């Protein structure tokens, strides 16, 4: 089969569009290639070029960096075609064509992979460039930049060698800035750079670069092009790209495309410029032009933060750039109405003419995502459903991020740009390695850098917050931090950082911060404070509420399929109240064992450890008293809403003293001459209770069968609380859930006890109590006999933590720290099954739902394991297993509401 590996874009020699790709070809052409093709298709000014597919990269790397058959011929043909279209040739001595060679993967990986600009220059073509532009300084500057970039990117030559040569040249020339170097200086630098190249590259490793027995900088443009493409392919697997993919869940086997594109120059004088922009403000979503440009600059200068940029809004008023600025505004409009989304673009203006180098749907903060979705809905660009679909549930976490407490008092130490929202407090570190090391020791750190670069990714991941002294809101630090949801303040110009000395002086103050000093940053306001500012978490208001209310309309609409409900896992009134504010409809899981901790631990200990019947009875009565109080409070809070209360679940030894600590205590008291016989008896009893596999031991419903006093007491407390509240006029709706059922008889016997107690309490109080009794399904056997169990249960709630543990045979206490990371690394597993539901475990859930519903159509089904708050799992629970609700911790409730609506939309 003949697979097309090279796709053209842009115009031919007659100005006719010859584009072969489109934006739907993301996985073939990469994001950049696909969108270049799309822009060319809709008539925007795109410099012509061609894209080599991602699949070619995969094949090339998979074969150990060997070119698949025929590809080099295809590239040569595409090069010849491009030369024909442009009427120029690479390396031509009269009128040379120059190209850029850029990576472009299916998912945006900003700054992670390599780029080579000005390719095609050599000693002959530089003369052609001088002739064409009449600007010898520009031509020599382009040539020296090319050698520098090519050497670094393609051959890995130490970039400092070139920077040192430039620094020496400036000293010799008696100038301070690069831009003061003359054409003659730059011409000399080109020679020096070629020398550095020849001295640095290993001849044996690169025989293709050897001429007359010595390494030479390649002058053949076709060789330059082949090597540059190879380097871009290779950069897919560089360390920072691999780390970025891991962080962002991007598969390793997609590969990157390579875009070879005619160069346009933003550095041809004061009517030339280059910039990056967004069609709306990506930080807060405001509909305004947002971004930076630099006059007379090339490519990466803007994001590198080397020179101070100007705001894009000023472009239209810059002499010589007015027309291009107006064109850019028109392009913004075309892009938004075409993509129906906020776009992020890179452009260059060459001598007054605008060229689009890239566009994609832009990354944005959660705040901006909400505002843009709502605004675009009211502008008629998108539907309500589309607005809901567009919000990434995981991003909502950003909104729940901490902020500076408004009532806190602090002095502002410095101000920078509010690059990524959220506040962070941590110890100052000046390098990524230090950030990683200190955070591994359990310290919270703020990474303070002059500017970040892609190698800083690991430090940025480890840090609570990021501060840079240079760079704008589209600088590397800002873009990456926003993507990660990490607070970031950038461009804090008063910070005079000395990374080597690990200190920073603050201009205009006496303050000097050293490594380890604590600072606070607020990425929403750009404020920096010395010391720790108290943080608070935001309330859900405004845009978030609007989107969530739209999400609720969608997920609860029964006219198109079953409603998707969201409940909360809460076991105290404060959490229950918070969850109601977050929009939970009911309590899906109230774990009662937490009600036995703290000062109450001694009561349950007396019950378990005592042989004395009266003492045990006293303990049970005391537990009954305190549990009734708990349930009164909780059921009052939840009046009118269901509240599923689980009977005691964990292994009893969790309530007992640690035997090792007790042994130490006995030895200590014995040495002090005290009587330790009672302690010894206690230890003996604890030893009797000890189990080799407590997770598979005396827990869940087994406790209720072995110690019937416990469920008796708990159900009495639940029912009594309900009866009292009813008499007070409330509407309590408790439901009793029996955990860890594997055998139908466990359910039958426990249900008998539960119903008997409920009837007794109802009679005692003279009220009717209708308390459903259900089963927690969290063992594979229960799923298999779900039809049998369903005859004795009013509902099933899936405990997917235990179900995952028992389906895999992975201990949920140990697996995540011991071997799951290795399984993920070695790709034995694609995702952590304790985080995102595994398909086989999901199949068990589905089986139990199907069997249960067939047997008992009135039942309801929910999920209350950790997976109930994971967006990817939520979609599967609703759309594959067909459950009625998910239940999760309070802070995940908004995320679950959105994911549940998205599940409904996906099922439509
Ligand atoms: C579960 O097993 O999924 C569950 C919710 O119960 P727990 O985590 O308390 O065992
Ligand atoms: Mg469980």
């Amino acid at each position: 089969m003949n697979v097309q590996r090279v796709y053209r874009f842009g115009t031919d020699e007659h100005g006719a569009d010859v584009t072969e790709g489109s934006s739907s070809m993301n996985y073939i052409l990469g994001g950049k290639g696909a969108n270049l093709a799309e822009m060319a298709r809709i008539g925007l000014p795109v410099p012509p070029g061609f894209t080599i597919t991602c699949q070619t990269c995969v094949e090339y790397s998979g074969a150990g960096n060997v070119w698949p058959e025929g590809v080099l011929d295809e590239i040569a043909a595409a090069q010849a075609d491009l030369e024909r279209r442009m009427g120029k040739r690479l390396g031509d001595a009269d009128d040379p064509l120059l190209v850029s060679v850029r990576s472009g993967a299916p998912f945006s990986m900003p700054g992670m992979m390599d780029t080579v600009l000005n390719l095609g220059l050599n000693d002959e073509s530089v003369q052609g460039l001088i002739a064409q532009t009449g600007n010898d300084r520009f031509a020599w500057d382009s040539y020296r930049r090319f050698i520098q970039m090519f050497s670094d990117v393609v051959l890995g030559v130490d970039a400092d060698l070139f920077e040192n040569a430039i620094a020496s040249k400036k000293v010799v020339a008696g100038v301070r800035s690069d831009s003061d170097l003359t054409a003659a200086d730059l011409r000399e630098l080109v020679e020096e750079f070629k020398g550095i190249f020849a001295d640095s590259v290993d001849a044996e490793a690169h025989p293709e670069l050897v001429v007359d027995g010595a390494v030479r900088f390649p002058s053949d443009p076709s060789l330059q092009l082949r090597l540059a493409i190879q380097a871009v392919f290779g950069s897919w697997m560089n360390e920072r790209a691999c780390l970025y993919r891991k962080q962002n869940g991007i598969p390793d086997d997609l590969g990157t495309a390579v875009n070879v594109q005619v160069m346009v120059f933003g550095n041809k004088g004061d009517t030339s410029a280059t910039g990056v922009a967004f069609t709306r403000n990506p930080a807060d979503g405001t509909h305004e032009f947002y971004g930076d440009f630099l006059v007379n600059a090339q490519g990466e200068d803007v994001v590198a933060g080397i020179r101070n940029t100007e705001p894009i809004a000023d472009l239209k008023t810059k002499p010589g750039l007015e027309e291009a600025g107006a064109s850019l505004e028109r392009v913004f409009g075309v892009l938004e109405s075409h993509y129906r989304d906020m776009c992020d673009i890179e452009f260059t203006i060459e001598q007054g003419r605008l060229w689009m180098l890239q566009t994609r749907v832009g990354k944005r903060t959660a705040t901006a995502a909400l505002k843009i979705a709502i605004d675009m809905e009211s502008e008629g660009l998108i539907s309500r459903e589309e607005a809901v679909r567009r919000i990434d549930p995981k991003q909502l976490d950003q909104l729940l991020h901490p902020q500076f407490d408004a009532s806190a008092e602090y002095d502002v130490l410095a101000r920078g740009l509010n690059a990524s929202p959220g506040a962070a407090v941590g110890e100052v570190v000046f390098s990524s390695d230090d950030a990683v090391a200190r955070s591994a020791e359990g310290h919270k750190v703020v990474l303070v850098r002059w500017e970040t670069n892609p190698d800083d990714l690991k430090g940025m991941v480890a840090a609570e917050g990021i501060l840079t002294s240079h760079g704008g809101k589209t600088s590397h630090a800002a873009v990456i931090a926003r993507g990660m949801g990490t607070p970031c303040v950038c461009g804090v110009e008063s910070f005079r950082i000395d990374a080597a000395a690990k200190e920073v002086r603050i201009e205009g103050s006496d303050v000097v911060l050293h490594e380890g000093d604590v600072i606070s940053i607020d990425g929403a306001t750009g404020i920096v404070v010395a010391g720790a500012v108290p943080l608070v978490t935001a309330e859900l208001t405004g845009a978030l509420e609007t989107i969530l209310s739209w999400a609720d309309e969608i997920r609860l609409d029964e006219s198109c399929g079953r409603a998707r409900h969201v409940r909360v896992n809460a076991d105290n009134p404060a959490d229950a109240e918070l969850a109601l504010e977050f929009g939970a409809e009911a309590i899906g899981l109230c774990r009662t064992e937490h009600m036995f901790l703290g000062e109450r631990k001694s009561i349950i200990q007396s019950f378990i450890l005592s042989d004395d019947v009266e003492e045990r009875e006293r303990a049970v009565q005391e537990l009954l008293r305190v549990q009734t109080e708990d349930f009164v409070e909780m059921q009052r809070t939840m009046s009118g809403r269901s509240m599923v209360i689980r009977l005691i679940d964990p292994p009893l030894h969790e309530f007992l003293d640690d035997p090792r600590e007790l042994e130490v205590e006995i030895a200590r008291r014995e040495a002090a001459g005290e009587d330790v016989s009672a302690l010894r008896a206690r230890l003996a009893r604890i030893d009797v209770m000890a189990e080799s596999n407590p997770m598979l031991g005396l827990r869940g419903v087994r406790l209720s069968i072995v110690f019937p006093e416990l469920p008796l007491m708990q159900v009495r407390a639940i029912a009594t609380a309900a009866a009292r509240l009813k008499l007070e006029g409330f509407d309590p709706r408790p439901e009793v859930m029996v955990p860890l059922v594997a055998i139908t008889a466990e359910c039958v016997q426990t249900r008998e006890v539960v119903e008997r107690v409920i009837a007794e309490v109802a009679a005692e109080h003279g009220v009717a109590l209708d308390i459903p009794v259900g089963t927690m399904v969290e063992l594979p056997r229960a799923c298999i006999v779900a039809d049998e169990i369903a005859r004795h249960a009013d509902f099933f709630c899936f405990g997917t933590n235990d179900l995952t543990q028992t389906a895999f045979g992975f201990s949920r206490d140990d697996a995540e720290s011991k071997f799951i990371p290795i399984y993920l690394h070695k790709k034995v597993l694609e995702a952590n099954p304790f985080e995102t539901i595994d398909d086989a475990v999901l199949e068990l859930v589905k089986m139990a739902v199907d069997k249960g519903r067939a047997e008992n159509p009135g039942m309801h089904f929910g999920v209350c394991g950790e997976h109930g708050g994971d967006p990817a799992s939520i979609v599967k629970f609703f759309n594959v297993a067909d459950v009625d609700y998910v239940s999760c911790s309070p802070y995940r409730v908004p995320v679950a509401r959105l994911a549940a609506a998205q599940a409904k939309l996906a099922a439509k």
Side-chain angles (χ1 to χ4, degrees):
M1 198 178 59
N2 223 356
V3 182
Q4 185 171 355
R5 300 180 198 270
V6 181
Y7 287 74
R8 302 188 294 171
F9 58 83
T11 47
D12 68 6
E13 62 272 35
H14 309 295
D17 180 33
V18 294
T19 303
E20 295 171 313
S22 72
S23 60
S24 63
M25 296 173 71
N26 212 35
Y27 283 91
I28 298 171
L29 303 178
K32 184 177 291 180
N35 285 314
L36 280 170
E38 190 72 15
M39 285 198 292
R41 252 178 209 289
I42 60 174
L44 297 182
V46 172
F50 56 89
T51 304
I52 305 158
T53 64
C54 300
Q55 289 66 36
T56 311
C57 169
V58 173
E59 281 181 61
Y60 172 84
S61 319
N65 296 348
V66 174
W67 283 96
E69 213 186 307
V71 180
L72 288 174
D73 293 340
E74 270 191 67
I75 293 173
Q79 179 188 330
D81 172 71
L82 185 62
E83 290 177 331
R84 191 182 44 72
R85 286 198 265 155
M86 299 305 296
K88 293 179 178 196
R89 283 190 311 107
L90 285 166
D92 192 89
D94 296 325
D95 184 10
L97 177 68
L98 302 184
V99 292
S100 61
V101 179
R102 296 172 197 262
S103 59
F107 293 93
S108 160
M109 296 171 54
M112 297 299 141
M113 290 180 294
D114 290 332
T115 292
V116 179
L117 302 178
N118 301 340
L119 190 139
L121 278 170
N122 58 26
D123 291 352
E124 281 81 47
S125 58
V126 72
Q127 298 301 339
L129 192 59
I130 294 170
Q132 287 302 320
T133 61
N135 185 340
D136 55 349
R137 190 191 180 282
F138 161 74
W140 287 109
D141 192 39
S142 301
Y143 193 11
R144 73 92 192 160
R145 283 174 185 256
F146 169 53
I147 299 175
Q148 202 172 341
M149 209 170 198
F150 188 93
S151 305
D152 173 18
V153 167
V154 181
L155 280 310
V157 179
D158 181 359
D160 283 352
L161 297 173
F162 299 100
E163 288 301 337
N164 293 344
I166 295 173
S168 312
K169 182 62 66 193
K170 284 193 284 193
V171 172
V172 172
V175 298
R176 293 180 58 147
S177 150
D178 292 12
S179 56
D180 294 331
L181 291 170
T182 63
D185 295 329
L186 292 164
R187 181 184 186 146
E188 284 167 20
L189 270 179
V190 162
E191 286 312 308
E192 287 174 35
F193 281 12
K194 285 197 272 185
I196 292 171
F197 181 90
D199 293 342
S200 307
V201 175
D202 178 11
E204 270 181 37
H206 297 283
E208 72 275 28
L209 297 173
V210 176
V211 181
D212 298 335
V215 167
R216 297 269 169 78
F217 188 82
S219 59
D220 171 9
S222 298
L223 177 60
Q224 293 173 353
L225 183 59
R226 175 163 68 79
L227 293 177
I229 296 170
Q230 288 177 192
V232 174
F233 279 166
S235 68
W236 173 253
M237 290 310 291
N238 72 29
E239 199 191 329
R240 61 181 193 242
C242 292
L243 178 62
Y244 185 89
R245 286 199 293 274
K246 204 167 154 206
Q247 278 300 317
N248 291 277
I250 300 173
D252 281 331
D253 56 4
L254 296 177
T256 179
V258 178
N259 299 291
V260 178
Q261 190 175 23
V262 170
M263 283 291 300
V264 285
F265 294 94
N267 56 342
K268 273 192 182 170
D270 287 345
T271 57
S272 300
T274 185
V276 292
F278 293 82
T279 54
R280 301 187 186 213
N281 184 323
D284 65 16
T286 309
H287 200 165
E288 65 185 2
F289 299 130
Y290 183 95
D292 316 283
F293 72 95
L294 272 176
V295 174
N296 198 12
Q298 194 172 33
E300 318 292 284
D301 295 353
V302 180
V303 272
I306 292 163
R307 276 166 51 193
N308 279 337
T309 53
E310 297 180 57
I312 205 84
D314 294 352
L315 190 61
K316 267 198 325 192
T317 55
K318 267 269 178 283
L321 293 172
E322 302 94 333
E323 219 170 278
S327 303
L328 187 62
E329 268 190 34
R330 278 195 299 278
V331 167
F332 277 8
V334 172
L335 285 175
E336 280 221 341
S337 53
H338 185 71
Y339 284 88
R340 296 185 306 114
D341 208 338
M342 187 252 298
C343 294
D344 139 0
I345 59 176
E346 284 178 25
F347 65 92
T348 282
I349 298 166
E350 183 180 276
Q351 296 180 320
R353 180 159 181 204
L354 174 71
W355 292 100
M356 302 301 296
L357 300 186
Q358 175 166 330
T359 195
R360 61 189 165 203
V361 168
K363 294 206 166 160
R364 61 205 78 178
T365 63
T367 315
L370 292 170
K371 177 158 172 53
I372 290 170
I374 292 167
D375 287 354
M376 286 195 165
E377 193 267 350
S378 63
E379 288 161 26
L381 274 177
I382 59 173
S383 66
R384 234 171 225 211
E385 293 189 350
E386 181 60 28
V388 167
R389 201 179 276 128
R390 281 208 183 156
I391 309 296
D392 175 0
K394 282 196 187 144
Q395 238 196 343
L396 284 194
D397 277 349
Q398 266 187 29
L399 286 184
L400 308 169
H401 268 176
Q403 313 284 324
F404 280 2
D405 185 342
S407 63
E409 292 195 355
Y410 51 78
D411 291 328
V412 176
L413 176 66
R415 282 178 197 274
L417 300 170
N418 52 338
S420 177
V425 178
E427 296 174 19
V428 172
V429 288
F430 294 94
S431 75
S432 286
D433 285 342
D434 288 342
V436 171
R438 275 198 174 237
S439 76
E441 288 165 18
H443 298 252
K444 290 187 186 312
V445 299
V446 174
L447 179 62
V448 174
R449 305 277 285 149
W450 192 74
E451 166 58 281
T452 59
N453 63 51
D455 287 332
D456 282 317
L457 188 64
K458 57 182 184 301
M460 298 172 80
V461 170
E464 301 290 312
I466 297 155
L467 183 157
T468 65
S469 59
H470 283 71
K473 287 194 207 168
T474 47
S475 67
H476 179 267
V479 171
I480 299 292
R482 275 202 297 275
M484 296 194 308
T486 301
C488 174
V489 177
C490 65
V492 186
E493 293 186 354
S494 61
F495 265 44
R496 299 274 174 253
I497 299 169
D498 184 341
K502 296 194 174 184
E503 64 176 30
V504 50
R505 291 176 187 283
I506 319 298
E507 206 182 37
S509 90
D510 297 328
V511 177
V512 180
L513 295 170
H514 299 96
E515 186 181 62
D517 289 349
V518 172
I519 61 168
S520 306
I521 63 168
D522 185 346
T525 58
I527 286 174
V528 184
V529 178
V533 177
L535 304 181
V536 291
T537 300
E539 275 177 28
L540 299 186
T541 51
L544 180 55
E545 239 162 43
T546 304
I547 283 285
L548 287 177
S549 69
W550 293 354
D552 289 348
E553 274 167 27
I554 294 166
R555 73 186 171 87
L556 297 174
D557 175 10
E558 294 198 25
S559 67
C560 53
R562 205 187 300 283
R564 276 111 160 105
H565 297 286
V566 175
R567 297 185 171 195
V568 67
N569 295 351
D571 54 25
N572 61 66
D575 274 5
E577 265 164 38
L578 183 65
L580 290 179
E581 273 172 42
F582 283 160
E585 298 163 64
I587 290 187
L589 172 63
C590 172
R591 291 178 165 100
T592 53
E593 52 274 11
H594 294 177
M595 298 173 173
F596 293 110
L597 296 179
E599 61 213 21
R600 300 176 184 180
K601 197 165 155 183
S602 62
I603 316 176
I604 183 111
Q605 285 183 345
S606 324
F607 169 76
I608 301 165
L609 297 176
S610 173
D611 289 330
D612 177 50
V613 178
E614 274 180 23
E615 192 181 343
R616 285 168 71 97
E617 181 53 28
R618 263 201 309 279
V620 168
Q621 287 309 320
E622 182 57 12
L623 287 171
L624 175 62
R625 191 184 61 76
V626 292
Q627 287 241 303
T628 308
E629 281 167 20
D630 293 333
F631 290 134
V632 166
E633 233 191 302
M634 287 287 280
Q635 290 182 33
R636 189 185 290 124
T637 308
M638 296 304 292
S639 182
R641 296 167 190 269
S642 299
M643 173 180 170
V644 175
I645 304 172
R646 180 176 74 182
L647 299 180
I648 188 165
D649 180 26
L652 279 186
H653 80 275
E654 283 194 13
F655 296 121
L656 303 180
D657 300 321
D658 180 338
R660 267 181 283 179
E661 280 174 19
L662 199 52
E663 276 167 15
V664 173
E665 179 72 8
I666 290 173
R668 200 180 58 73
R669 292 196 179 203
E670 218 166 22
E674 289 179 35
D675 175 12
V676 292
S677 53
L679 285 182
R680 277 201 187 286
R682 191 183 179 90
L683 180 61
R685 180 94 180 142
I686 291 174
D687 280 342
V688 169
M689 306 286 312
E691 293 172 302
S692 304
N693 286 317
M695 266 297 180
L696 303 179
L698 183 56
R699 55 174 291 223
V701 66
R702 299 160 207 168
L703 281 169
S704 297
I705 306 271
V706 175
F707 298 107
E709 302 94 320
L710 287 179
L712 279 175
M713 177 276 292
Q714 286 200 296
V715 177
R716 180 162 281 278
I718 294 166
T720 305
R724 280 195 208 154
L725 287 168
K726 270 201 151 183
L727 292 172
E728 286 175 32
F730 288 95
D731 180 15
R733 299 194 189 174
E735 305 186 18
V736 173
M737 181 156 73
V738 184
L740 221 73
V741 167
I743 309 162
T744 311
E746 291 171 324
C747 207
V748 174
Q749 291 188 18
T750 314
R751 189 176 181 125
E752 268 171 26
V753 174
V754 172
E755 287 188 333
R756 183 161 35 85
V757 177
I758 294 172
E760 279 168 20
V761 174
E764 283 162 21
H765 289 79
V767 290
L769 288 179
D770 176 18
I771 302 182
V773 184
T775 307
M776 202 150 171
V777 177
E778 44 190 345
L779 295 173
R781 190 181 192 283
C783 297
I784 292 166
V785 298
D787 42 355
E788 262 177 51
I789 297 177
R791 282 178 222 139
H792 310 280
D794 299 322
F795 61 88
F796 281 171
C797 189
F798 293 89
T800 46
N801 305 332
D802 275 310
L803 192 57
T804 300
Q805 164 169 262
T806 48
F808 275 89
F810 286 177
S811 158
R812 57 191 269 198
D813 289 342
D814 302 314
E816 284 177 279
S817 60
K818 294 286 193 295
F819 60 85
I820 287 184
I822 298 168
Y823 266 41
L824 293 172
H825 180 70
K826 294 196 166 181
K827 300 200 176 356
V828 178
L829 281 172
E830 275 183 12
N832 176 355
F834 288 104
E835 232 169 73
T836 298
I837 195 74
D838 169 73
D839 282 343
V841 179
L842 181 72
E843 199 52 41
L844 287 172
V845 175
K846 177 174 163 42
M847 186 209 297
V849 173
D850 289 347
K851 283 179 174 241
R853 202 169 264 141
E855 187 66 37
N856 184 352
M859 284 179 82
H860 62 83
F861 300 86
V863 173
C864 63
E866 282 307 296
H867 306 88
D870 170 63
S873 307
I874 291 172
V875 174
K876 291 184 178 182
F877 287 134
F878 284 123
N879 292 2
V880 179
D882 208 7
V883 301
D884 299 290
Y885 66 87
V886 292
S887 189
C888 56
S889 58
Y891 277 96
R892 296 173 92 185
V893 166
V895 171
R897 287 164 67 194
L898 182 62
Q902 291 177 343
K904 186 86 176 262
L905 291 173
K908 259 186 167 184

